[in-house]
Amino acid sequence: MSLLSTSLLGTQFTNPLLNASGVWCRDKVELDALNASQAGSFVTKSCTLEPRTGNPEPRYFSTPMGSINSMGLPNEGYQYYLDYASQHDYSHKPLFLSLAGLSVADNLKMIEAISKANLPAVVELNLSCPNVPGKPQIAYDFDAMQTMLEAVTQQYDKPFGVKMPPYFDFAHFDAAAKILNSFPQVAFLTCINSIGNALVIDTESESVVIKPKNGFGGIGGDYVLPTALANVNAFYQRCPDKRIIGCGGVKTGEQVFQHILAGATLVQVGTELHEEGPGVFARLLTEVTALLERKGYKSIEEARGKLRTL
Ligand code: DHB
């Protein structure tokens, strides 16, 4: 076993890195670039039943500390990603399919088609899209989350994961974990989606920087690293039978290592992938390898969840 290899759901990964859904994964050209990159796996753009063009532009903006976006689920429709997944060579690298149906019924239709296709692709069910006007995030409504998971687990018989939003209170960590733990089929949690409905202001123009929702959007990058690490660690502690995929604020190998210490098995890269392109994965692997070697680790799994407290 090499220094960086790991496993999830019985599948081997040559390294823990992949994209955050939404970044560099909307069409075949982008997905093929991830497949050709040094990422250990990759995930498709969250999809809906029908294709969507998404919100008006500008809808993504970079700042020195990260990014804000309100894309509005632009995607090619689930059939496109299912076709991509059916042509993918899984012996080369694992692939995740991200689903973000606009209703329970939409998710059930997509899940039914995925079931029938019987592919090795792993579902990441998005419970935390903050950017569709008029549609609140499912995972901020615990009854809706329970209903969605009951429906999906009845329809689907394979293990899958859920993409979670950040929580900011121990009562919410506890309540979310209790629901998730009542569904053993939920095998992993991806923590976190962007911190939703933030506002970036440009001083000179005295204006918002993105057009949808009067400038409100989800933030990523440096802004979110401590929140992401807290959520990874909070759910790592509360959900001992599940795996955690860390997402949020990864810009260097050091931050990959911090996510793993907090409890992550895999680590996703969003804002920095958008900034740097798929070459980011090779750099992060070099950096995290140097860090693990300096610290004397023989495998990345030795570090997982080994965060110390004072
Ligand atoms: C979008 C943003 C998200 O954070 C998400 O989870 C799904 C979709 C979007 O705006 O496209």
Side-chain angles (χ1 to χ4, degrees):
M1 189 159 126
S2 74
L3 181 65
L4 294 177
S5 67
T6 189
S7 70
L8 178 82
L9 291 173
T11 300
Q12 286 296 124
F13 293 71
T14 55
N15 70 66
L17 300 182
L18 70 157
N19 62 306
S21 178
V23 183
W24 224 283
C25 59
R26 179 169 164 188
D27 62 19
K28 180 169 160 48
V29 171
E30 293 183 341
L31 290 163
D32 284 348
L34 293 180
N35 194 31
S37 77
Q38 291 299 304
S41 59
F42 60 122
V43 55
T44 55
K45 168 71 183 168
S46 288
C47 63
T48 49
L49 262 190
E50 302 298 333
R52 291 169 57 93
T53 52
N55 292 338
E57 295 180 345
R59 56 195 186 179
Y60 184 102
F61 187 87
S62 298
T63 81
M65 283 184 287
S67 64
I68 183 167
N69 85 83
S70 181
M71 305 298 288
L73 271 170
N75 77 93
E76 308 300 323
Y78 82 99
Q79 190 62 50
Y80 180 95
Y81 302 100
L82 195 49
D83 290 346
Y84 186 87
S86 69
Q87 285 153 26
H88 179 62
D89 174 9
Y90 293 84
S91 67
H92 172 64
K93 72 176 67 169
L95 172 65
F96 295 86
L97 274 175
S98 172
L99 305 184
L102 298 176
S103 66
V104 174
D106 284 7
N107 274 333
L108 292 183
K109 276 192 199 160
M110 294 191 282
I111 285 282
E112 188 184 4
I114 290 168
S115 258
K116 280 201 183 123
N118 195 24
L119 300 169
V122 176
V123 168
E124 182 185 83
L125 179 67
N126 190 344
L127 301 179
S128 51
C129 175
N131 296 338
V132 181
K135 289 269 173 195
Q137 286 190 47
I138 294 165
Y140 281 161
D141 175 342
F142 291 131
D143 289 339
M145 180 162 101
Q146 170 94 27
T147 303
M148 179 67 79
L149 290 174
E150 277 170 5
V152 169
T153 52
Q154 272 182 26
Q155 172 97 219
Y156 195 54
D157 51 19
K158 289 189 187 170
F160 65 96
V162 289
K163 178 79 169 275
M164 301 300 290
Y167 297 101
F168 305 93
D169 194 288
F170 278 58
H172 295 157
F173 293 140
D174 291 343
K178 188 171 174 199
I179 293 169
L180 296 167
N181 283 334
S182 73
F183 295 97
Q185 229 180 303
V186 175
F188 68 88
L189 318 176
T190 303
C191 303
I192 59 173
N193 208 317
S194 55
I195 298 183
N197 297 307
L199 185 62
V200 169
I201 295 177
D202 179 72
T203 309
E204 286 316 305
S205 62
E206 305 178 11
S207 170
V208 304
V209 299
I210 56 174
K211 185 173 170 105
K213 294 175 72 172
N214 291 145
F216 284 64
I219 49 171
D222 297 347
Y223 298 117
V224 312
L225 178 67
T227 300
L229 294 173
N231 277 262
V232 167
N233 191 61
F235 286 102
Y236 179 76
Q237 291 185 42
R238 285 168 178 75
C239 303
D241 299 330
K242 303 190 192 300
R243 300 297 198 96
I244 313 295
I245 300 184
C247 182
V250 171
K251 197 150 82 175
T252 69
E254 182 177 355
Q255 288 131 18
V256 175
F257 181 68
Q258 290 182 355
H259 269 274
I260 288 163
L261 280 182
T265 299
L266 303 183
V267 178
Q268 300 182 342
V269 188
T271 297
E272 191 59 21
L273 169 59
H274 188 279
E275 290 306 300
E276 211 173 315
V280 70
F281 296 110
R283 176 177 66 77
L284 293 173
L285 291 177
T286 303
E287 291 173 4
V288 75
T289 298
L291 184 53
L292 289 165
E293 284 175 351
R294 173 169 72 73
K295 285 175 165 285
Y297 282 103
K298 297 283 177 279
S299 110
I300 199 164
E301 311 218 323
E302 261 174 57
R304 186 191 310 143
K306 294 292 157 50
L307 180 65
R308 297 181 191 188
T309 54
L310 304 177

